[in-house]
Amino acid sequence: MTETTHQSPTDGPNSTPTELPTQYAPADVEGPLYERWVERGYFDADAKSDKDPFTVVIPPPNVTGSLHLGHAFEHTLIDALTRRKRMQGYETLWQPGMDHAGIATQNVVERELAKEGKSRHDLGREAFVERVWQWKGESGGQISGQMRRLGDGVAWSRERFTMDEGLSQAVQTIFKRLYDDELIYRAERIINWCPRCLTAISDIEVEYQDDDGELVSITYGEGDETLVVATTRAETMLGDTAVAVHPDDERYKHLVGKQIKLPLTDRTIPVVADAHVDPEFGTGAVKVTPAHDPNDFEIGQRHDLPNIAVMDEHAVITVPGPFQGQDRLEARSAIVAALRAEGRIVAEKRPYTHSVGHCSRCKTTIEPRLSMQWWVKVGPLAKAAGDAVRDGRVKIHPQEMEKRYFDWVDNLHDWCISRQLWWGHRIPVWYGPNGEVVCVGPDEEPPAGEGWTQDTDVLDTWFSSGLWPFSTLGWPEQTESLAKFYPNSVLVTGYDILFFWVARMMMFGLYAMDGTPPFHTIALHGMVRDQFGKKMSKSFGNAVNPLDWMDKYGSDALRFTLARGANPGVDVPIGEDWVQGSRNFANKIWNATRFALMNGATVEGPLPDASEMSATDRWILSRLNSVVAEVDAYYEDFQFAKLSDALFHFAWDEVFDWYVELSKTTFMGGGRAAEVSARVLGEVLDVTLRLLHPVVPFVTEALWTTLTGKESVVIADWPADSGFRDQAAEKEIETVQQVVTEVRRFRSDQGLQPGQKVPARLDLAGTELAAHEAAMRSLLRLQPAGEDFTATASLPVAGATVALDLSGAIDVEAERKRLAKDLAAAEKEKAQATAKLGNEAFLAKAPEKVVDKIRTRLETAEADIVRITAQLERLPKA
């Protein structure tokens, strides 16, 4: 092995055989590397392979969407899992695709039409749908390119769309089966209605926020037969068909069963007794509007009350009279004014802050509305979804999230699946001229002839995305891919859609796949928040475009920051300075690898025998294997933050800051010892880069291929713990670290500059440190002691003694004065805190927080006194 010249990784350009640039430039590296990975088919998955499968589906992003930090976070975790499994030898499929996003996409295209002065009705249904497909082809799917920027190792050749031909067949097939099994039905129920989007929307598409409204208390009835109800939606009183009280409420027993006058109308309504009413809340009497409130609808069903709708689809009042034609909010004010004029308002509270549902797409206030819709009877499906977790076929991680899952699936209401849109999977039901209803499967011809029409509604987007784990694999056809890759190994998703998406996939997967759940494990993560823990939002001014950070710091830096914050089920704070710190880590890996290559680090040939290795070599190999085992355990437990932190500290602290530094004197010395350490350093870098690759794929690919000369780390073997441990070497290097750390602390305390050299004598007799003296002197900037050496300070550490001559390094008298001043301040602080804590009158009156603060001040002052006194004692004598 040819001796190499010792150089620092931060030195200037160097003509080495490594061909690594002096600085890491992510923008020059990431794009070409990703395209090479895709071209070589590294991310493809072969259904004919005899390897064990590992399957993950991407939570399909909306076709209208772009990459946000939540996507970047989730994709980083999934990519890390799949890259590791690929390296472990699994036939790995990360299934990509996009959701057609019914409401969102229709809104986008309708806005485009509005710029032309047109609406969808001007085009008609077929032409409008064709226009949406055109938009999808030209502008949709922006997120795919952004996923490539992030480094997503998805099987692009298998990309699916929830409205492509195969998935449409799957949707029609499962609708027909559920319909035939009487698990899909049509009925009039209360739904969430958006007066702007003009459609029913799912619970997931309703965002609740505190709005300032008004709470008015209204007298119903006449004379002795009156009661007071309170409401925030006075306009709905026009549709009241009863007042409800609790059966045991003595205040109203004389009224139950009687008819009372409904104000502002010519109607009377009954007073009914219902256990749903809370007698302790408000007046204990509630108005019942079955057509405009889900709880009132249930009361109405129990008491056979009529349903009176008072608004149209635009939330405009339809009841004949003075309020007809008014918008709901306009009518609310007018009705309150009319009630006030009649003397029926007994109390008003403004503003009254309460939780109000809004459409997540257009932010319009939701209107509960009685409507004829299609429903899934979820009872048996939800029970199966609950049983699959209870009997252990599906694991939820972290386990404490199971309770939330059971609370949801055990109490599911039937699911409204129809939407009043044109873009989406049209409901495959035809109506005949004589009231016939025919559900048509994918291989059946719809009924023809005069008077037959197809249902105009489309299916909820969650209906098709609920089939995602198996429809993307070719179901209902029994394909090789379905046989190989179903069920999925793990689902990685946010806890926020545990109820809406995960539960639906569980129900449909168990139903369609003969009781086989869609995945073995559900790994739930939290939401990305800003560095102060606040939700990210454009309205808050703290939203971040991840592409900006990737442009500035590199994709690896963003990924590593996100992974380091990923504790299972817990929200993730992130700030730009943290991404900058991760960029520094990538640079550190780059520079350290350059240094290693310039000093002969190699992976060629077997490792030397342990007998040839120094204690430093044996220590780092022992630590390396411990970290391999540690990282494996964290991956199996989805502890991304812990595994990333373990790798960060091992790479930066142990490999780069200790092993490389301790080995520099060996490399400078040359010979067999340098050859052994070069091979050990190559081994350590090889394994460390492979361990880091799933989280930071780009920089590790560039460095690993240069180090090893092999094709790609993407298809390299995942490191295995060889079992090599050397506790003696670990203890020996820990002692070296202890001495170096203590002397560094002393130097800092004495005001020495990091690079300032001082004469020193090291007494290492009786210790195992003698072999490390040269390295320790180099690390501590300690010169040999000359004949005129006089020790002015002596540090006993770990059985050794380090004597230093600081006479020419510091102004002892000035340092003594400075420390004396600091000591006096600390002693004064201690005296003041002690006096306050000894004052019984003060302690009796002061808040506990104030007392705790003074106790902390006392502890700090006492610690400062000990520290400064020790520094003074270590100063050279005058």
Side-chain angles (χ1 to χ4, degrees), residues 309-332:
V310 300
M311 289 177 238
D312 66 12
E313 60 185 5
H314 297 280
V316 171
I317 302 299
T318 57
V319 178
F323 312 110
Q324 187 174 15
Q326 293 183 352
D327 171 81
R328 55 183 167 168
L329 300 182
E330 181 186 3
R332 181 177 301 170

PDB file of all heavy atoms in Angstrom, residues 309-332:
ATOM      1  N   ALA A 309     -87.937  21.025   5.244  1.00  0.00           N
ATOM      2  CA  ALA A 309     -86.731  21.697   4.763  1.00  0.00           C
ATOM      3  C   ALA A 309     -87.073  23.156   4.489  1.00  0.00           C
ATOM      4  O   ALA A 309     -88.089  23.461   3.845  1.00  0.00           O
ATOM      5  CB  ALA A 309     -86.219  21.034   3.500  1.00  0.00           C
ATOM      6  N   VAL A 310     -86.233  24.064   4.988  1.00  0.00           N
ATOM      7  CA  VAL A 310     -86.537  25.490   4.851  1.00  0.00           C
ATOM      8  C   VAL A 310     -85.554  26.203   3.944  1.00  0.00           C
ATOM      9  O   VAL A 310     -85.669  27.409   3.725  1.00  0.00           O
ATOM     10  CB  VAL A 310     -86.570  26.178   6.241  1.00  0.00           C
ATOM     11  CG1 VAL A 310     -87.629  25.539   7.109  1.00  0.00           C
ATOM     12  CG2 VAL A 310     -85.203  26.140   6.904  1.00  0.00           C
ATOM     13  N   MET A 311     -84.554  25.473   3.416  1.00  0.00           N
ATOM     14  CA  MET A 311     -83.552  26.091   2.537  1.00  0.00           C
ATOM     15  C   MET A 311     -83.351  25.236   1.296  1.00  0.00           C
ATOM     16  O   MET A 311     -83.491  24.014   1.357  1.00  0.00           O
ATOM     17  CB  MET A 311     -82.207  26.232   3.252  1.00  0.00           C
ATOM     18  CG  MET A 311     -82.168  27.263   4.338  1.00  0.00           C
ATOM     19  SD  MET A 311     -80.543  27.255   5.140  1.00  0.00           S
ATOM     20  CE  MET A 311     -81.032  26.930   6.819  1.00  0.00           C
ATOM     21  N   ASP A 312     -82.945  25.897   0.202  1.00  0.00           N
ATOM     22  CA  ASP A 312     -82.585  25.149  -0.998  1.00  0.00           C
ATOM     23  C   ASP A 312     -81.097  24.823  -0.969  1.00  0.00           C
ATOM     24  O   ASP A 312     -80.405  25.061   0.037  1.00  0.00           O
ATOM     25  CB  ASP A 312     -82.986  25.913  -2.263  1.00  0.00           C
ATOM     26  CG  ASP A 312     -82.199  27.217  -2.448  1.00  0.00           C
ATOM     27  OD1 ASP A 312     -81.191  27.441  -1.740  1.00  0.00           O
ATOM     28  OD2 ASP A 312     -82.597  28.017  -3.315  1.00  0.00           O
ATOM     29  N   GLU A 313     -80.559  24.311  -2.087  1.00  0.00           N
ATOM     30  CA  GLU A 313     -79.179  23.867  -2.120  1.00  0.00           C
ATOM     31  C   GLU A 313     -78.177  25.017  -1.984  1.00  0.00           C
ATOM     32  O   GLU A 313     -77.015  24.807  -1.640  1.00  0.00           O
ATOM     33  CB  GLU A 313     -78.914  23.101  -3.415  1.00  0.00           C
ATOM     34  CG  GLU A 313     -79.150  23.927  -4.676  1.00  0.00           C
ATOM     35  CD  GLU A 313     -78.985  23.114  -5.950  1.00  0.00           C
ATOM     36  OE1 GLU A 313     -78.786  21.898  -5.852  1.00  0.00           O
ATOM     37  OE2 GLU A 313     -79.079  23.706  -7.045  1.00  0.00           O
ATOM     38  N   HIS A 314     -78.652  26.241  -2.226  1.00  0.00           N
ATOM     39  CA  HIS A 314     -77.782  27.416  -2.084  1.00  0.00           C
ATOM     40  C   HIS A 314     -77.892  28.036  -0.693  1.00  0.00           C
ATOM     41  O   HIS A 314     -77.341  29.111  -0.458  1.00  0.00           O
ATOM     42  CB  HIS A 314     -78.132  28.463  -3.135  1.00  0.00           C
ATOM     43  CG  HIS A 314     -77.906  28.001  -4.545  1.00  0.00           C
ATOM     44  ND1 HIS A 314     -76.666  27.978  -5.142  1.00  0.00           N
ATOM     45  CD2 HIS A 314     -78.789  27.525  -5.467  1.00  0.00           C
ATOM     46  CE1 HIS A 314     -76.787  27.509  -6.383  1.00  0.00           C
ATOM     47  NE2 HIS A 314     -78.057  27.232  -6.607  1.00  0.00           N
ATOM     48  N   ALA A 315     -78.606  27.376   0.229  1.00  0.00           N
ATOM     49  CA  ALA A 315     -78.850  27.875   1.590  1.00  0.00           C
ATOM     50  C   ALA A 315     -79.681  29.156   1.564  1.00  0.00           C
ATOM     51  O   ALA A 315     -79.471  30.084   2.359  1.00  0.00           O
ATOM     52  CB  ALA A 315     -77.546  28.080   2.353  1.00  0.00           C
ATOM     53  N   VAL A 316     -80.652  29.191   0.667  1.00  0.00           N
ATOM     54  CA  VAL A 316     -81.589  30.310   0.559  1.00  0.00           C
ATOM     55  C   VAL A 316     -82.948  29.841   1.087  1.00  0.00           C
ATOM     56  O   VAL A 316     -83.388  28.725   0.788  1.00  0.00           O
ATOM     57  CB  VAL A 316     -81.713  30.793  -0.898  1.00  0.00           C
ATOM     58  CG1 VAL A 316     -82.858  31.800  -1.052  1.00  0.00           C
ATOM     59  CG2 VAL A 316     -80.402  31.416  -1.354  1.00  0.00           C
ATOM     60  N   ILE A 317     -83.609  30.688   1.895  1.00  0.00           N
ATOM     61  CA  ILE A 317     -84.877  30.317   2.519  1.00  0.00           C
ATOM     62  C   ILE A 317     -85.960  30.113   1.452  1.00  0.00           C
ATOM     63  O   ILE A 317     -86.129  30.937   0.539  1.00  0.00           O
ATOM     64  CB  ILE A 317     -85.335  31.405   3.514  1.00  0.00           C
ATOM     65  CG1 ILE A 317     -84.267  31.626   4.596  1.00  0.00           C
ATOM     66  CG2 ILE A 317     -86.676  31.033   4.151  1.00  0.00           C
ATOM     67  CD1 ILE A 317     -83.974  30.414   5.441  1.00  0.00           C
ATOM     68  N   THR A 318     -86.683  28.982   1.583  1.00  0.00           N
ATOM     69  CA  THR A 318     -87.729  28.642   0.614  1.00  0.00           C
ATOM     70  C   THR A 318     -89.131  28.707   1.210  1.00  0.00           C
ATOM     71  O   THR A 318     -90.110  28.558   0.473  1.00  0.00           O
ATOM     72  CB  THR A 318     -87.488  27.210   0.078  1.00  0.00           C
ATOM     73  OG1 THR A 318     -87.455  26.299   1.187  1.00  0.00           O
ATOM     74  CG2 THR A 318     -86.179  27.120  -0.688  1.00  0.00           C
ATOM     75  N   VAL A 319     -89.245  28.914   2.524  1.00  0.00           N
ATOM     76  CA  VAL A 319     -90.566  28.931   3.172  1.00  0.00           C
ATOM     77  C   VAL A 319     -91.330  30.187   2.743  1.00  0.00           C
ATOM     78  O   VAL A 319     -90.801  31.311   2.860  1.00  0.00           O
ATOM     79  CB  VAL A 319     -90.411  28.912   4.706  1.00  0.00           C
ATOM     80  CG1 VAL A 319     -91.791  28.982   5.379  1.00  0.00           C
ATOM     81  CG2 VAL A 319     -89.656  27.674   5.144  1.00  0.00           C
ATOM     82  N   PRO A 320     -92.545  30.033   2.235  1.00  0.00           N
ATOM     83  CA  PRO A 320     -93.317  31.221   1.830  1.00  0.00           C
ATOM     84  C   PRO A 320     -93.471  32.196   2.992  1.00  0.00           C
ATOM     85  O   PRO A 320     -93.650  31.796   4.143  1.00  0.00           O
ATOM     86  CB  PRO A 320     -94.668  30.621   1.421  1.00  0.00           C
ATOM     87  CG  PRO A 320     -94.353  29.210   1.045  1.00  0.00           C
ATOM     88  CD  PRO A 320     -93.253  28.772   1.964  1.00  0.00           C
ATOM     89  N   GLY A 321     -93.362  33.474   2.667  1.00  0.00           N
ATOM     90  CA  GLY A 321     -93.489  34.492   3.708  1.00  0.00           C
ATOM     91  C   GLY A 321     -92.440  35.560   3.552  1.00  0.00           C
ATOM     92  O   GLY A 321     -91.748  35.645   2.526  1.00  0.00           O
ATOM     93  N   PRO A 322     -92.288  36.379   4.579  1.00  0.00           N
ATOM     94  CA  PRO A 322     -91.399  37.556   4.461  1.00  0.00           C
ATOM     95  C   PRO A 322     -89.918  37.211   4.313  1.00  0.00           C
ATOM     96  O   PRO A 322     -89.134  38.069   3.902  1.00  0.00           O
ATOM     97  CB  PRO A 322     -91.648  38.308   5.773  1.00  0.00           C
ATOM     98  CG  PRO A 322     -92.144  37.265   6.729  1.00  0.00           C
ATOM     99  CD  PRO A 322     -92.945  36.314   5.898  1.00  0.00           C
ATOM    100  N   PHE A 323     -89.523  36.001   4.666  1.00  0.00           N
ATOM    101  CA  PHE A 323     -88.098  35.656   4.622  1.00  0.00           C
ATOM    102  C   PHE A 323     -87.719  34.848   3.380  1.00  0.00           C
ATOM    103  O   PHE A 323     -86.554  34.530   3.176  1.00  0.00           O
ATOM    104  CB  PHE A 323     -87.710  34.867   5.882  1.00  0.00           C
ATOM    105  CG  PHE A 323     -88.206  35.491   7.152  1.00  0.00           C
ATOM    106  CD1 PHE A 323     -89.228  34.888   7.886  1.00  0.00           C
ATOM    107  CD2 PHE A 323     -87.703  36.706   7.581  1.00  0.00           C
ATOM    108  CE1 PHE A 323     -89.717  35.481   9.032  1.00  0.00           C
ATOM    109  CE2 PHE A 323     -88.171  37.301   8.745  1.00  0.00           C
ATOM    110  CZ  PHE A 323     -89.186  36.692   9.473  1.00  0.00           C
ATOM    111  N   GLN A 324     -88.684  34.501   2.564  1.00  0.00           N
ATOM    112  CA  GLN A 324     -88.428  33.706   1.379  1.00  0.00           C
ATOM    113  C   GLN A 324     -87.467  34.436   0.436  1.00  0.00           C
ATOM    114  O   GLN A 324     -87.599  35.639   0.209  1.00  0.00           O
ATOM    115  CB  GLN A 324     -89.735  33.402   0.652  1.00  0.00           C
ATOM    116  CG  GLN A 324     -89.571  32.423  -0.516  1.00  0.00           C
ATOM    117  CD  GLN A 324     -90.914  32.045  -1.122  1.00  0.00           C
ATOM    118  OE1 GLN A 324     -91.933  32.700  -0.865  1.00  0.00           O
ATOM    119  NE2 GLN A 324     -90.938  30.992  -1.918  1.00  0.00           N
ATOM    120  N   GLY A 325     -86.462  33.699  -0.065  1.00  0.00           N
ATOM    121  CA  GLY A 325     -85.499  34.270  -0.985  1.00  0.00           C
ATOM    122  C   GLY A 325     -84.274  34.873  -0.312  1.00  0.00           C
ATOM    123  O   GLY A 325     -83.337  35.295  -1.000  1.00  0.00           O
ATOM    124  N   GLN A 326     -84.300  34.929   1.011  1.00  0.00           N
ATOM    125  CA  GLN A 326     -83.153  35.484   1.725  1.00  0.00           C
ATOM    126  C   GLN A 326     -82.078  34.408   1.953  1.00  0.00           C
ATOM    127  O   GLN A 326     -82.403  33.244   2.215  1.00  0.00           O
ATOM    128  CB  GLN A 326     -83.576  36.071   3.075  1.00  0.00           C
ATOM    129  CG  GLN A 326     -84.454  37.295   2.971  1.00  0.00           C
ATOM    130  CD  GLN A 326     -84.795  37.880   4.336  1.00  0.00           C
ATOM    131  OE1 GLN A 326     -84.493  37.298   5.374  1.00  0.00           O
ATOM    132  NE2 GLN A 326     -85.438  39.052   4.333  1.00  0.00           N
ATOM    133  N   ASP A 327     -80.824  34.816   1.868  1.00  0.00           N
ATOM    134  CA  ASP A 327     -79.722  33.943   2.255  1.00  0.00           C
ATOM    135  C   ASP A 327     -79.855  33.616   3.739  1.00  0.00           C
ATOM    136  O   ASP A 327     -80.406  34.406   4.520  1.00  0.00           O
ATOM    137  CB  ASP A 327     -78.391  34.648   1.972  1.00  0.00           C
ATOM    138  CG  ASP A 327     -77.211  33.893   2.553  1.00  0.00           C
ATOM    139  OD1 ASP A 327     -76.754  32.931   1.919  1.00  0.00           O
ATOM    140  OD2 ASP A 327     -76.759  34.257   3.667  1.00  0.00           O
ATOM    141  N   ARG A 328     -79.329  32.473   4.161  1.00  0.00           N
ATOM    142  CA  ARG A 328     -79.507  32.021   5.547  1.00  0.00           C
ATOM    143  C   ARG A 328     -79.013  33.044   6.571  1.00  0.00           C
ATOM    144  O   ARG A 328     -79.633  33.229   7.623  1.00  0.00           O
ATOM    145  CB  ARG A 328     -78.796  30.678   5.772  1.00  0.00           C
ATOM    146  CG  ARG A 328     -77.321  30.699   5.413  1.00  0.00           C
ATOM    147  CD  ARG A 328     -76.653  29.357   5.560  1.00  0.00           C
ATOM    148  NE  ARG A 328     -75.339  29.383   4.911  1.00  0.00           N
ATOM    149  CZ  ARG A 328     -74.425  28.451   5.058  1.00  0.00           C
ATOM    150  NH1 ARG A 328     -74.658  27.420   5.829  1.00  0.00           N
ATOM    151  NH2 ARG A 328     -73.269  28.546   4.420  1.00  0.00           N
ATOM    152  N   LEU A 329     -77.884  33.691   6.288  1.00  0.00           N
ATOM    153  CA  LEU A 329     -77.345  34.656   7.238  1.00  0.00           C
ATOM    154  C   LEU A 329     -78.182  35.928   7.264  1.00  0.00           C
ATOM    155  O   LEU A 329     -78.408  36.529   8.327  1.00  0.00           O
ATOM    156  CB  LEU A 329     -75.885  34.970   6.911  1.00  0.00           C
ATOM    157  CG  LEU A 329     -74.926  33.782   6.948  1.00  0.00           C
ATOM    158  CD1 LEU A 329     -73.497  34.240   6.640  1.00  0.00           C
ATOM    159  CD2 LEU A 329     -74.969  33.082   8.307  1.00  0.00           C
ATOM    160  N   GLU A 330     -78.660  36.338   6.095  1.00  0.00           N
ATOM    161  CA  GLU A 330     -79.558  37.494   6.014  1.00  0.00           C
ATOM    162  C   GLU A 330     -80.859  37.192   6.749  1.00  0.00           C
ATOM    163  O   GLU A 330     -81.378  38.019   7.518  1.00  0.00           O
ATOM    164  CB  GLU A 330     -79.818  37.809   4.537  1.00  0.00           C
ATOM    165  CG  GLU A 330     -80.725  39.009   4.304  1.00  0.00           C
ATOM    166  CD  GLU A 330     -81.068  39.172   2.820  1.00  0.00           C
ATOM    167  OE1 GLU A 330     -80.645  38.308   2.001  1.00  0.00           O
ATOM    168  OE2 GLU A 330     -81.750  40.145   2.485  1.00  0.00           O
ATOM    169  N   ALA A 331     -81.373  35.973   6.545  1.00  0.00           N
ATOM    170  CA  ALA A 331     -82.618  35.568   7.192  1.00  0.00           C
ATOM    171  C   ALA A 331     -82.437  35.467   8.707  1.00  0.00           C
ATOM    172  O   ALA A 331     -83.359  35.781   9.474  1.00  0.00           O
ATOM    173  CB  ALA A 331     -83.092  34.235   6.620  1.00  0.00           C
ATOM    174  N   ARG A 332     -81.271  35.066   9.160  1.00  0.00           N
ATOM    175  CA  ARG A 332     -81.023  34.938  10.601  1.00  0.00           C
ATOM    176  C   ARG A 332     -81.232  36.274  11.300  1.00  0.00           C
ATOM    177  O   ARG A 332     -81.946  36.367  12.312  1.00  0.00           O
ATOM    178  CB  ARG A 332     -79.608  34.434  10.844  1.00  0.00           C
ATOM    179  CG  ARG A 332     -79.250  34.236  12.306  1.00  0.00           C
ATOM    180  CD  ARG A 332     -77.843  33.673  12.443  1.00  0.00           C
ATOM    181  NE  ARG A 332     -77.721  32.391  11.758  1.00  0.00           N
ATOM    182  CZ  ARG A 332     -76.563  31.761  11.544  1.00  0.00           C
ATOM    183  NH1 ARG A 332     -75.424  32.312  11.957  1.00  0.00           N
ATOM    184  NH2 ARG A 332     -76.538  30.605  10.918  1.00  0.00           N
TER     185      ARG A 332
END
